[in-house]
Amino acid sequence: MNNMFQDNINQLSLLAAAIILALTVWVAGKYIKQMKTDRSTGELADENWDGIGEYKNELPAGWAYTFLGTMIWAIWYWTTGYPVNAYSQIGEYNEEVAAHTKQFESKWANADKETLQAMGEGVYLVQCAPCHGIAGDGMGGKAADLSVWGSKAGVLDTIKNGSKGLGFPMGDMPAGLLSGDAAEKVAEYVANGMKGDQPAEFATCAGCHGADGKGMNGMAPDISTYGTPEFVKMVLEHGKKGFIGTMVSFKGRLTPIQEKAVGTYILSLSHND
Amino acid sequence: MFHWLEQRPFLFSVGVFLVIAFAGLIEIVPDFAQASRPIAGKQPYTLLQLAGRHVYIKDSCNACHSQLIRPFKSETDRYGPYSVSGEYAYDRPFLWGSKRTGPDLHRVGEYRTTDWHENHMWEPTSVVPGSIMPSYKHMFTQNADLETAYAEALTVKKVFNVPYDKPGFTKLGSWEEAKKQALEDAKKIAAEMKNQDVKDAVARGEIPEIVALIAYMNSLH
């Protein structure tokens, strides 16, 4: 209710309604009084319509001035007054979106893990579930299985099958660069956030991802962030043209907070702690 | 003063109509003229996309799916940027639709992919549990009608000056050229599909409806 009176259009409408009501009462009263007391006088006009004549009356002064006023107002409104850029439907949409984005960002800037996870689940169900499935299992191979993503099994899967179509300058990662024990060791190391002693076999990965795994300044994906929302953000923004199918880029479609939330949610699928 | 006018009711009516119509005209015509221009970079449909559009119309997709995103945050969050009129400049007829039993499809090419459509058209509930959309398996066996699509493209090119074959715009060419191009486009889409019958058909030089429809879906953005 409070908001209704803050709107300037509503304020103007109410003001106009009050004025119209007052004028109506006044004019009606005036004419009712005239009908009771007035006698018709004056000079009749020449025309006569089936016996009904018309007095030659001057325009009532108030009427004439009002009419003149509306003409002057029309010229002003026509030339300068019309709010050409003051209002548009798209403008209102833009303002609404900007206000919402600002509020959204300040409200969730320091969201805790539970909140992010809940938000991520909401976004996931709308944007990701159509391909990756409601449970994140990739629906029997229709898309990447996110229930193992971010864990050692996920890294092993990538080493075994390679990775394709993230669009980095280094190009696609071939399948089976490592196998057996070596793959196990590297997967363990990467899935643990590259902490601890680096296995010698990581040299195979370092060729593209760099010795620190950070991807040599954007030449290849930064695998030191594997298993964190950061990595999910990267995939969301790049999109993927992989072995299973194509994943569109979500750049600009999700806000950074939403991307982080999706990442948090996806990680919760494989890390049930 | 206005006796000459008041005595002629027919003339007076015509005059009133003209005055009011004038106000309408100067408000509507300039807006229409500007808004009906194609937006920058808008391309007419390729032959394959147009054939897919005919499949879309034939199977009445527009009875359940709209192609018009309104400027409300709830819509742009879900479907992408709101639609503007210049985007429909080459749509004859436009497929705005008036009922959303299913979601809006105006920018479906931005967030769905060839393999997703393949799964979805074969059996919608396999990717969207709870979907009430019927499956369209016949699209995998029936062939698209390229002849009609070519006839339409050639007609709009000649009658409405749609910029086919102009520099920087979609190439149409002769029937043979257009057919060859459509088959090449179809091969690219079939390469991303998994259905072996469809792949075989395209390799034989046929174009199943599903391939044309996916080409059309992917062009919507």
Side-chain angles (χ1 to χ4, degrees):
Chain A
M1 199 64 187
N2 232 353
N3 278 337
M4 201 183 122
F5 293 110
Q6 278 165 8
D7 189 296
N8 59 350
I9 303 280
N10 285 350
Q11 284 172 357
L12 275 177
S13 309
L14 283 174
L15 182 68
I19 292 173
I20 290 170
L21 194 68
L23 281 174
T24 309
V25 170
W26 179 70
V27 171
K30 183 175 180 281
Y31 282 120
I32 288 170
K33 202 175 146 203
Q34 257 182 23
M35 277 191 283
K36 281 180 186 162
T37 56
D38 269 16
R39 290 276 170 276
S40 49
T41 51
E43 193 189 340
L44 273 172
D46 292 340
E47 281 90 8
N48 186 305
W49 290 276
D50 297 338
I52 301 171
E54 189 184 39
Y55 287 117
K56 278 185 180 171
N57 285 333
E58 287 301 315
L59 279 179
W63 197 94
Y65 289 134
T66 310
F67 185 51
L68 216 65
T70 56
M71 280 160 77
I72 293 166
W73 180 82
I75 292 167
W76 166 81
Y77 187 74
W78 188 269
T79 52
T80 56
Y82 182 65
V84 181
N85 297 313
Y87 176 81
S88 73
Q89 194 188 9
I90 300 302
E92 183 175 337
Y93 165 80
N94 289 340
E95 277 171 21
E96 206 177 294
V97 171
H100 181 274
T101 309
K102 209 174 140 195
Q103 197 210 10
F104 182 87
E105 273 172 10
S106 62
K107 189 173 177 187
W108 305 112
N110 299 307
D112 58 16
K113 203 179 153 197
E114 278 70 37
T115 314
L116 281 175
Q117 202 166 307
M119 184 197 291
E121 183 173 8
V123 178
Y124 178 90
L125 288 175
V126 175
Q127 307 281 6
C128 318
C131 294
H132 292 283
I134 288 170
D137 55 2
M139 292 193 281
K142 290 190 180 69
D145 182 356
L146 297 177
S147 64
V148 298
W149 188 87
S151 66
K152 189 180 155 189
V155 187
L156 275 175
D157 188 58
T158 307
I159 294 174
K160 188 177 158 216
N161 295 315
S163 175
K164 194 176 144 194
L166 273 171
F168 280 92
M170 276 294 184
D172 301 335
M173 170 169 154
L177 282 177
L178 292 170
S179 58
D181 208 26
E184 291 276 337
K185 269 195 230 165
V186 168
E188 183 83 43
Y189 175 66
V190 173
N192 282 331
M194 301 187 61
K195 289 185 200 82
D197 292 332
Q198 196 173 71
E201 291 84 350
F202 190 78
T204 314
C205 317
C208 290
H209 295 287
D212 56 1
K214 289 195 191 304
M216 306 202 290
N217 284 329
M219 295 302 283
D222 177 358
I223 53 170
S224 71
T225 60
Y226 184 79
T228 67
E230 272 306 296
F231 198 89
V232 179
K233 261 173 100 168
M234 184 276 290
V235 178
L236 282 171
E237 287 181 7
H238 276 254
K240 204 160 188 261
K241 217 171 164 61
F243 292 106
I244 308 175
T246 308
M247 171 169 155
V248 293
S249 163
F250 285 84
K251 196 169 187 171
R253 290 170 57 80
L254 297 176
T255 67
I257 297 173
Q258 284 176 318
E259 287 175 352
K260 193 176 162 193
V262 172
T264 312
Y265 175 71
I266 288 174
L267 275 172
S268 76
L269 296 174
S270 58
H271 296 66
N272 292 321
D273 46 65
Chain B
M1 185 176 170
F2 289 108
H3 297 161
W4 60 274
L5 196 56
E6 287 172 350
Q7 283 165 348
R8 295 171 176 81
F10 181 72
L11 179 72
F12 196 26
S13 308
V14 171
V16 167
F17 174 77
L18 284 181
V19 168
I20 294 174
F22 173 73
L25 278 181
I26 60 162
E27 285 210 6
I28 295 166
V29 171
D31 245 14
F32 256 47
Q34 198 202 1
S36 62
R37 302 298 310 149
I39 57 163
K42 185 77 192 164
Q43 293 282 350
Y45 294 108
T46 66
L47 184 58
L48 187 65
Q49 288 163 3
L50 206 53
R53 201 177 126 86
H54 287 170
V55 176
Y56 186 97
I57 294 170
K58 188 182 71 163
D59 282 339
S60 291
C61 303
N62 57 318
C64 292
H65 294 280
S66 61
Q67 286 191 21
L68 183 108
I69 304 163
R70 296 170 293 178
F72 301 125
K73 189 164 190 315
S74 54
E75 296 217 352
T76 54
D77 273 359
R78 184 170 173 193
Y79 301 127
Y82 54 81
S83 310
V84 295
S85 49
E87 293 179 78
Y88 304 100
Y90 302 129
D91 280 14
R92 292 173 205 277
F94 60 79
L95 296 170
W96 294 341
S98 57
K99 190 167 189 307
R100 282 183 186 159
T101 303
D104 188 276
L105 297 178
H106 193 217
R107 307 207 186 281
V108 73
E110 283 179 12
Y111 51 88
R112 293 288 185 268
T113 57
T114 299
D115 45 293
W116 189 86
H117 286 304
E118 184 185 5
N119 288 321
H120 186 244
M121 299 308 288
W122 182 260
E123 186 54 69
T125 48
S126 74
V127 281
V128 187
S131 168
I132 56 164
M133 179 167 141
S135 60
Y136 285 83
K137 291 184 172 132
H138 63 269
M139 286 184 186
F140 289 72
T141 46
Q142 283 177 22
N143 282 340
D145 185 357
L146 280 189
E147 283 91 342
T148 306
Y150 183 78
E152 183 185 320
L154 197 66
T155 309
V156 293
K157 181 189 168 189
K158 292 199 168 156
V159 179
F160 298 116
N161 255 332
V162 171
Y164 280 115
D165 295 322
K166 294 203 173 128
F169 284 100
T170 308
K171 187 152 168 32
L172 186 66
S174 69
W175 162 238
E176 281 74 24
E177 287 168 340
K179 197 178 169 189
K180 203 170 146 232
Q181 182 62 47
L183 194 61
E184 268 175 44
D185 295 345
K187 275 180 183 155
K188 279 183 206 145
I189 287 171
E192 290 182 15
M193 292 177 68
K194 294 189 178 66
N195 187 303
Q196 199 52 47
D197 292 341
V198 170
K199 282 170 177 287
D200 292 345
V202 174
R204 283 197 303 271
E206 291 169 21
I207 298 179
E209 283 182 339
I210 185 72
V211 177
L213 185 79
I214 290 177
Y216 174 59
M217 293 280 102
N218 288 346
S219 78
L220 289 174
H221 50 70

